[in-house]
Amino acid sequence: MRITCEIIKDLLPLYHDNVCSKDSCKLVEEHLLTCEKCRNELKQINIEIKMVDNTEDVKVMNTIAKKWKQDRFSSFFAGIFLFSTIASVGCVVAYNLIGSYVTAEGFLVEPFALIPLSYLFGLSALLSGVILGIMAIKRRMVNTK
């Protein structure tokens, strides 16, 4: 099967950015050895990329990346806050539902482990809530500048 220049033109941007597969790269290189037209096309791609002033694009992408990172952290701590709150309340409710009783031998049987778990989840919810609050205040201060 003969590879046409149209196929190579489709592959040239990928070849230029080094994102095509090894087989495609080899195919393009073999074709470029024999085709002056496609070599000129590759040179034109190089010239166009060098000519484009993409500093504004870089600034926009950096802003988006920063916002994305902030949103990721906010979502992470919001998830911790929500899970910890539900788990803490769930431990208290489960402790009260299960209840405690004294066996015939005089031993107290109760789901005591739920009490410290409730405190632990409550502390986690409190800390993540504080972190979320600090992040919101910081974001508000940055946005007002």
Side-chain angles (χ1 to χ4, degrees):
M1 179 176 127
R2 185 177 179 286
I3 304 301
T4 64
C5 289
E6 289 302 314
I7 294 173
I8 298 299
K9 283 182 184 179
D10 290 342
L11 291 173
L12 280 178
L14 299 174
Y15 174 79
H16 178 270
D17 294 338
N18 293 322
V19 293
C20 60
S21 67
K22 290 179 183 178
D23 291 338
S24 297
C25 186
K26 184 179 175 185
L27 186 73
V28 170
E29 288 172 352
E30 289 174 358
H31 183 83
L32 289 175
L33 291 174
T34 60
C35 182
E36 180 69 29
K37 183 178 172 185
C38 290
R39 279 195 302 265
N40 290 336
E41 186 75 25
L42 181 61
K43 288 177 187 175
Q44 187 63 31
I45 290 173
N46 286 330
I47 291 169
E48 288 174 4
I49 288 176
K50 289 178 184 176
M51 286 177 39
V52 172
D53 183 25
N54 60 359
T55 56
E56 186 63 34
D57 292 341
V58 170
K59 288 178 186 177
V60 169
M61 291 304 292
N62 286 338
T63 304
I64 291 171
K66 186 176 178 182
K67 175 103 171 87
W68 214 358
K69 190 174 183 180
Q70 287 175 347
D71 288 347
R72 193 173 62 200
F73 283 126
S74 294
S75 297
F76 175 74
F77 285 112
I80 289 175
F81 176 76
L82 185 63
F83 174 77
S84 297
T85 303
I86 291 170
S88 180
V89 170
C91 286
V92 171
V93 169
Y95 179 79
N96 288 322
L97 285 177
I98 293 171
S100 59
Y101 60 93
V102 178
T103 63
E105 293 84 24
F107 292 108
L108 176 64
V109 177
E110 66 179 351
F112 179 74
L114 293 173
I115 295 171
L117 276 176
S118 176
Y119 289 141
L120 181 66
F121 285 126
L123 178 64
S124 176
L126 178 69
L127 290 176
S128 60
V130 168
I131 291 171
L132 281 171
I134 291 171
M135 289 172 71
I137 291 169
K138 186 178 175 184
R139 193 175 304 131
R140 190 175 302 140
M141 290 173 66
V142 168
N143 288 341
T144 58
K145 288 183 180 180

